[in-house]
């Protein structure tokens, strides 16, 4: 809800311009904001005025005004003076408060509406009725999830909000402590490169302004409101798959997950079966630093022995010896395309299993705490 | 401002990929240091490790003598400018520059003073009330710089800040950044893949490849005395020509045989090949396009290194001409005066300046002599 502090600031600003003291009460007579220290108890007068048919009234040397939001009495405003000028200022202040509260409430409703849409908490029928009421039009949208490495502070939210504040077509919301969700209207971003640039721009701004490590995952374009939840799930999956297979990337698109997308969806039991098939009963423990670096460099250079040896600063024969040692331990000759491919997939499967295992352990730890 | 020390810095990702390997560098106070290299060489990763936005896998990073490996990015007293950086569209230039300070709850008066000072340095005083859409590309970039300057950091980190600008604006902004460094007296680490930017801006340049430092030196030294084939090929535009040659040593005389031609090396260069026992081995000759000439004077002066070939390409640059041709099956480029009578398809005689010639070990790719 709109804070009393904001209402207080508004009244003070009006007083600064008009020199008329103002006070704002709830419809039950509770003081919410005031520019002066009142000596009298106003509760009875407020209740009396609230029950009356009048929209404004002169009582105890003050002008009283009713403030209705969506035809419901919400506030009573007092202008402390009996002059004509005080009456006019009182009316203006009541109008100002009504508009601020309405705008804030609509924004609040829009955000909580989008939060429910993102999380898939709404029936499609309700979704469209509510969207119409909140003036949310149908548009092509993409959900971006901005994941912060530590628990986020206000600076992250503030920065993202300000980046997209000039348009009411985008929605910024949050559903947990470590991420911000941006539902972006992408009608004017035609290419996939444009979506990627936007993700990179968010990362760059947050790194510069909030000085935090962030990763941005984003889903596919969707046209219907009920599909926003799908784009959100895709963005979530992009981040998870990225955490396993593309750790060096700051922005990950669901549309470009490559083979990681397939491996991520394989059940653990199938993964175990596959590894057993490739390596036998036990995954060989040969992944020391030298072996890992050798294998990675060999793959980076498309299985080219001379180039790999050169880049590793070792003699060609040394590299061949290392590769033979790997073959002996693994039963796979990674110099051949077939075995190299099998080995690469097996490595990705191991990463996937390790990630799932550590996630489960973290969940258990969390539950125990 | 501050000095930085990077000792044995490594970045290794959980999947085994090593982005940066044993990076050692001392950066002095007020230095303008450039990290340059091809895409994926680890330059941006190193910069992000300095910023604290990327964890350091091993090694030690110090700013002004204080180890900062575990210090939060916001407590490192640094400011960054990125290529994809965007301004807040609904805010004026003043508010854009003040935004970061407001978030840090800096008092209003102090913000005003800092923004005005930065605007003065960047010549943005008259634009403070404008919104980003009313600014040119260069002005927007200056505002982005302003947002970093108002923080008064110890170190500025810039990650390809000019790569989104067009060629003309880039040249203009390059000059502005150089002058800004001079005015601020700031320590700047600047990442780029553009060797011209590196050569024109840096007091020292770090050339990186595959996460390894290839050479750290002044622009002049990198150009004249590259440590290896990679640096020689990366620095300079058009790039250095490379030719395979067989080394023949007869007493004190060293000649490099390229096809039918033999190039006799001057004594100082010859000595390096004799000491390295290169007789009979294949080496790589490196010669910059500007050290190959078709003028009478050059043909006379370098009689032992004249090649007969045919012009396969002709590009007029204004005062100079780029001539493309082949020697022994290798494509080569020469940068000669625009007075040259040579045209596309003409037979031509070209002389290499042997004094400016570099020779590299074919296997290790390290420089034997330059």
């Amino acid at each position: 809800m709109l804070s009393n502090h904001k209402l207080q600031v508004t009244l003070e600003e009006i007083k600064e311009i008009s020199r008329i003291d103002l006070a704002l009460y709830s419809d039950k007579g509770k003081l919410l904001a005031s520019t002066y220290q009142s000596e009298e108890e106003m509760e009875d007068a407020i209740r009396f005025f609230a029950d009356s048919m009048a929209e404004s009234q002169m009582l105890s040397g003050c002008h009283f005004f009713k403030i209705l939001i969506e035809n419901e009495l919400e506030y009573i405003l007092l202008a402390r003076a009996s002059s004509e000028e005080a009456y006019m200022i009182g009316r203006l202040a009541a109008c100002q408060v009504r508009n601020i509260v309405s705008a804030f409430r609509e924004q609040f409703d829009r955000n909580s509406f989008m939060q429910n849409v993102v999380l898939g908490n709404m029936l499609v029928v309700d979704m469209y009725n509510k969207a119409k009421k909140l003036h949310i039009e149908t548009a092509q949208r993409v959900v971006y999830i901005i994941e912060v490495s530590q628990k986020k502070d206000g600076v992250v939210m503030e920065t993202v909000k300000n980046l997209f504040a000039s348009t009411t077509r985008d929605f910024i919301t949050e559903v947990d402590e470590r991420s911000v969700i941006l539902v972006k209207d992408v009608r004017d971003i035609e290419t996939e490169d444009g979506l990627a640039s936007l993700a990179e721009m968010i990362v760059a701004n947050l790194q510069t302004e909030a000085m935090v490590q962030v990763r941005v995952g984003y889903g596919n374009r969707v046209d219907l409101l009920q599909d926003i939840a799908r784009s959100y799930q895709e963005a979530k999956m992009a981040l998870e798959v990225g955490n396993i297979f593309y750790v060096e990337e700051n922005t990950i698109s669901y549309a470009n997950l490559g083979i990681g997308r397939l491996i991520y969806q394989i059940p653990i039991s199938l993964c175990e079966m596959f590894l057993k098939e490739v390596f036998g009963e036990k995954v060989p423990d040969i992944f020391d630093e030298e072996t890992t670096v050798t294998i990675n460099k060999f793959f980076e250079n498309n299985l080219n022995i001379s180039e790999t040896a050169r880049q590793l600063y070792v003699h060609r024969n040394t590299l061949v010896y290392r590769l033979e040692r790997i073959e002996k331990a693994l039963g796979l000759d990674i110099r051949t395309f077939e075995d190299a491919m099998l080995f690469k997939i097996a490595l990705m499967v191991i990463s996937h299993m390790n990630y799932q295992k550590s996630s489960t352990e973290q969940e258990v730890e969390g539950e125990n705490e | 401002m501050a000095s930085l020390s990077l000792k044995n810095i490594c970045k290794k990702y959980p999947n085994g990929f090593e982005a940066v390997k044993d990076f050692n560098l001392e950066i002095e106070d007020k230095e303008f240091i450039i990290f340059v290299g091809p895409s994926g060489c680890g330059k941006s990763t190193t910069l992000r490790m300095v910023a604290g936005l990327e964890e350091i896998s091993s090694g030690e990073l110090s700013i002004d003598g204080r180890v900062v490996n575990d210090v939060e990015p916001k407590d490192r007293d640094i400011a960054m400018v990125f290529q994809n950086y965007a301004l807040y569209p609904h805010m004026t230039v003043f508010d854009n520059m003040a935004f970061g300070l407001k978030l840090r709850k800096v008092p209003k008066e102090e913000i005003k003073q800092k923004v005005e000072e930065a605007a003065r340095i960047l010549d943005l005083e008259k634009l403070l009330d404008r919104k980003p859409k009313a600014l040119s590309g260069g002005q927007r970039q200056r505002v982005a710089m302003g947002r970093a300057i108002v923080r008064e950091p110890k170190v500025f980190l810039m990650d390809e800040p000019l790569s989104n600008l067009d060629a003309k604006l880039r040249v203009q902004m390059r000059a502005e950044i150089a002058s800004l460094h001079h005015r601020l007296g700031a320590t700047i680490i600047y990442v780029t893949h553009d060797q011209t930017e590196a050569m024109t801006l840096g007091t020292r340049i770090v050339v990186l490849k595959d996460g390894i430092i290839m050479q750290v030196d002044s622009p002049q030294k990198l150009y004249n005395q590259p440590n290896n084939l990679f640096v020689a090929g990366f620095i300079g535009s058009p790039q250095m020509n490379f030719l395979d040659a067989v080394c023949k040593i007869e007493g004190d005389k060293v000649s490099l045989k390229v096809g039918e031609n033999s190039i006799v090396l001057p004594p100082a260069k010859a000595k390096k090949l004799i000491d390295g026992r290169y007789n009979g081995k294949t080496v790589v000759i490196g010669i910059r396009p500007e050290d190959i000439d078709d003028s009478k004077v050059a043909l006379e002066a370098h009689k032992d290194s004249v090649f007969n070939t045919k012009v396969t390409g002709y590009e007029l640059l204004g005062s100079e001409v780029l001539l493309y041709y082949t020697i022994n099956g290798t494509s080569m480029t020469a940068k000669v005066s625009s007075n040259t009578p040579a045209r596309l398809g003409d037979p031509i005689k070209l002389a290499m300046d042997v004094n400016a010639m570099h020779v590299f070990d074919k296997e290790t790719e390290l420089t034997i002599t330059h």
Side-chain angles (χ1 to χ4, degrees):
Chain A
M1 278 285 99
L2 187 65
S3 68
N4 289 351
H5 172 72
K6 283 212 168 70
L7 296 169
Q8 179 73 38
V9 170
T10 308
L11 296 193
E12 273 167 9
E13 280 180 8
I14 297 172
K15 189 204 163 174
E16 207 180 308
I17 302 163
S18 65
R19 310 262 172 222
I20 302 283
D21 271 318
L22 300 161
L24 190 72
Y25 290 83
S26 73
D27 59 336
K28 302 281 183 283
K30 188 183 165 207
L31 182 66
L32 302 174
S34 173
T35 60
Y36 62 94
Q37 205 72 24
S38 174
E39 288 126 30
E40 304 169 55
E41 189 53 64
M42 299 299 286
E43 203 175 324
D44 289 341
I46 299 279
R47 284 209 172 143
F48 172 75
F49 173 64
D51 292 339
S52 76
M53 295 292 282
E55 284 193 6
S56 64
Q57 200 172 355
M58 196 41 206
L59 276 172
S60 323
C62 293
H63 285 287
F64 282 55
F65 299 90
K66 283 182 183 163
I67 301 175
L68 281 72
I69 315 279
E70 288 175 4
N71 296 323
E72 292 283 326
L73 178 63
E74 296 260 344
Y75 302 103
I76 309 284
L77 182 107
L78 271 65
R80 197 169 74 153
S82 52
S83 63
E84 265 300 300
E85 192 195 359
Y87 173 75
M88 190 178 71
I89 296 299
R91 275 189 71 182
L92 281 172
C95 172
Q96 176 76 351
V97 170
R98 186 176 62 242
N99 288 335
I100 290 174
V101 173
S102 300
F104 180 83
R105 203 164 284 183
E106 185 174 324
Q107 189 56 43
F108 181 79
D109 285 351
R110 282 164 67 94
N111 280 345
S112 71
F113 166 76
M114 202 41 88
Q115 213 167 35
N116 284 322
V117 170
V118 161
L119 296 173
N121 289 344
M122 273 182 113
L123 291 174
V124 177
V125 182
D126 295 342
M127 201 181 279
Y128 281 94
N129 287 337
K130 188 96 190 191
K132 205 171 168 186
K133 203 173 153 196
L134 294 170
H135 312 291
I136 296 171
E137 52 184 324
T138 305
Q140 194 169 64
R141 294 185 170 92
V142 167
V143 176
Y144 286 79
I145 302 181
I146 301 145
E147 190 183 67
V148 186
S149 59
Q150 310 98 345
K151 201 172 154 184
K152 65 177 187 288
D153 55 16
V155 179
V156 175
M157 192 64 174
E158 204 57 33
T159 306
V160 179
K161 271 186 180 166
N162 276 287
L163 277 173
F164 302 98
S166 59
T167 162
T168 52
R169 303 189 318 193
D170 303 328
F171 296 88
I172 294 143
T173 184
E174 47 194 343
V175 290
D176 58 40
E177 284 181 330
R178 286 191 43 195
S179 56
V180 173
I181 298 163
L182 165 69
V183 182
K184 178 90 185 100
D185 185 324
V186 291
R187 277 177 289 184
D188 48 0
I189 304 176
E190 284 164 11
T191 62
E192 291 310 299
D193 282 351
L195 296 181
S197 298
L198 183 79
E200 280 159 17
M201 183 273 279
I202 296 170
V203 171
N205 274 268
L206 282 171
Q207 287 187 338
T208 316
E209 216 67 81
M211 293 208 149
V212 286
Q213 259 177 284
V214 287
R215 305 185 81 208
V216 174
Y218 57 99
N220 282 331
R221 291 167 189 265
V222 290
D223 292 306
L224 303 171
L225 278 174
Q226 66 264 35
D227 290 338
I228 290 176
R230 196 184 72 216
S231 188
Y232 170 66
Q233 290 302 332
E234 288 170 352
K236 252 174 92 170
M237 183 170 157
L239 277 174
E240 276 213 28
V241 174
N243 279 336
I244 305 170
F245 304 115
Y246 312 112
V247 272
E248 61 276 20
E249 304 289 338
N250 281 331
T251 62
I252 308 122
S253 157
Y254 177 79
N256 294 314
L257 291 180
I259 196 169
R261 180 205 316 276
L262 299 179
I263 292 170
Y264 178 76
Q265 311 214 26
I266 302 174
I268 295 297
S269 57
L270 274 185
C271 292
E272 283 166 352
M273 205 184 289
F274 172 72
L275 289 182
K276 203 172 161 187
E277 198 181 308
V278 177
F279 298 122
E281 278 307 317
K282 194 171 172 270
V283 177
D285 189 18
I286 61 149
F287 301 109
D288 56 278
E289 188 160 339
E290 185 188 273
T291 313
T292 316
V293 170
T294 304
I295 293 170
N296 282 330
K297 198 48 92 183
F298 190 53
F299 285 164
E300 262 173 48
N301 288 300
N302 299 318
L303 316 186
N304 183 327
I305 291 182
S306 305
E307 185 57 23
T308 310
R310 199 184 62 75
Q311 287 191 20
L312 288 172
Y313 299 100
V314 296
H315 194 274
R316 199 177 184 281
N317 291 345
T318 310
L319 178 62
V320 171
Y321 167 74
R322 281 189 200 171
L323 294 174
E324 280 169 356
R325 202 183 58 194
I326 292 167
E327 184 186 356
K328 212 170 163 187
L330 297 175
L332 293 173
D333 182 2
I334 60 169
R335 287 168 292 186
T336 65
F337 173 72
E338 195 90 351
D339 282 2
M341 185 183 67
L342 207 57
F343 183 69
K344 178 88 184 165
I345 293 173
L347 279 186
M348 291 180 85
V349 168
I350 292 171
S351 298
H352 168 50
M353 288 173 69
N354 288 343
Y355 181 81
Q356 297 302 346
K357 204 174 142 193
S358 70
S359 301
T360 318
E361 279 170 6
Q362 274 172 13
E363 270 172 33
V364 172
E365 269 173 35
E367 277 168 20
N368 289 343
E369 276 172 23
Chain B
M1 295 303 148
S3 61
L4 282 96
S5 166
L6 293 96
K7 283 186 188 145
N8 310 106
I9 299 283
C10 293
K11 178 67 197 177
K12 192 175 175 188
Y13 289 100
N15 61 4
F17 173 66
E18 272 189 291
V20 178
K21 296 159 201 161
D22 200 24
F23 193 102
N24 285 289
L25 184 68
E26 297 293 327
I27 302 172
E28 282 171 30
D29 187 21
K30 295 178 186 171
E31 221 181 337
F32 197 140
I33 199 125
I34 311 271
F35 293 172
V36 69
S39 168
C41 69
K43 51 191 189 300
S44 289
T45 310
T46 310
L47 192 83
R48 286 208 303 272
M49 283 195 280
V50 173
L53 298 170
E54 198 83 65
E55 237 171 73
I56 296 171
S57 305
S58 63
E60 199 176 87
L61 168 71
S62 316
I63 300 177
D64 264 348
R66 173 188 171 218
V67 178
V68 293
N69 287 41
D70 297 323
V71 175
E72 288 287 310
K74 59 180 183 333
D75 301 325
R76 290 190 186 191
D77 210 354
I78 46 166
M80 286 167 286
V81 183
F82 287 101
Q83 65 171 342
N84 293 306
Y85 199 58
L87 300 178
Y88 301 109
H90 62 297
M91 292 186 194
T92 61
V93 168
F94 182 96
D95 289 334
N96 259 286
M97 284 162 73
F99 184 69
L101 300 178
K102 278 183 190 163
L103 287 179
R104 283 171 188 76
K105 315 259 184 257
V106 175
K108 265 187 184 173
E109 264 314 300
E110 200 179 327
I111 291 177
K112 190 168 177 280
Q113 180 222 323
K114 284 182 174 176
V115 171
E116 281 171 359
E117 174 62 15
R120 191 187 56 75
I121 292 170
L122 292 161
D123 200 14
L124 286 169
E125 287 157 301
K126 288 178 185 156
L127 307 174
L128 284 174
D129 293 329
R130 289 211 194 156
K131 296 259 175 87
K133 66 178 174 195
L135 301 176
S136 69
Q139 287 166 338
R140 279 183 209 170
Q141 199 58 32
R142 290 218 297 269
V143 178
M145 299 268 182
R147 288 166 69 164
I149 292 172
V150 291
R151 292 187 184 178
E152 296 174 355
K154 280 183 178 172
V155 186
F156 286 89
L157 306 177
M158 302 187 184
D159 192 353
E160 310 227 14
L162 307 184
S163 48
N164 282 349
L165 305 180
D166 62 48
K168 196 177 162 194
L169 209 52
R170 255 202 332 240
V171 175
Q172 188 192 327
M173 280 305 293
R174 222 159 56 198
E176 288 193 21
I177 291 176
S179 119
L180 190 67
H181 171 240
H182 186 70
R183 271 181 282 168
L184 289 174
T187 308
I188 300 179
I189 306 179
Y190 188 104
V191 163
T192 180
H193 66 274
D194 180 343
Q195 53 104 3
T196 317
E197 226 166 85
M199 294 289 281
T200 49
L201 283 174
T203 44
R204 267 195 312 157
I205 300 174
V206 181
V207 184
L208 284 154
K209 188 194 172 208
D210 297 331
I212 298 167
I213 294 182
M214 293 279 119
Q215 189 170 351
V216 184
D217 243 316
S218 66
Q220 200 64 41
K221 263 196 148 180
L222 277 182
Y223 188 78
N224 292 329
Q225 296 166 26
N227 276 354
N228 50 50
L229 260 180
F230 177 78
V231 176
F234 193 79
I235 301 291
S237 177
Q239 80 162 76
M240 187 185 276
N241 297 294
F242 297 114
L243 266 177
D244 278 2
V246 179
C247 174
K248 194 175 172 195
I249 301 175
E250 291 165 316
D252 287 348
K253 188 184 161 197
V254 175
S255 52
L256 301 177
K257 202 165 157 47
V258 181
E260 296 303 307
N261 293 57
S262 255
I263 302 167
V264 179
L265 289 182
K269 290 189 193 289
K271 190 174 179 302
K272 294 276 173 65
L273 280 106
I274 295 167
D275 293 348
R277 298 178 183 176
Y278 279 95
N279 191 25
K281 288 187 184 170
T282 302
V283 293
V284 180
I285 292 174
I287 182 95
R288 296 212 179 269
E290 48 273 38
D291 296 322
I292 304 173
D293 203 354
D294 66 340
S295 69
K296 266 188 185 169
V297 182
L299 292 171
E300 200 57 41
H302 309 294
K303 277 183 194 151
D304 290 336
S305 59
V306 175
F307 288 79
N308 288 303
T309 180
K310 198 172 123 181
V311 180
T312 56
Y314 175 96
E315 273 178 17
L316 178 66
L317 302 179
S319 62
E320 284 154 333
V321 166
L322 292 183
L323 297 177
Y324 298 94
Y325 56 96
T326 58
I327 291 179
N328 213 24
T330 307
S331 299
M332 306 270 290
T333 313
K335 197 190 235 179
V336 301
S337 158
S338 59
N339 295 329
T340 179
R343 291 292 180 272
L344 188 67
D346 287 354
I348 189 171
K349 276 186 176 183
L350 287 159
M352 294 180 191
D353 180 355
V354 283
N355 296 311
M357 196 175 274
H358 304 255
V359 185
F360 303 93
D361 186 307
K362 171 103 172 147
E363 211 167 300
T364 63
E365 297 190 352
L366 295 175
T367 303
I368 303 167
T369 178
H370 37 58

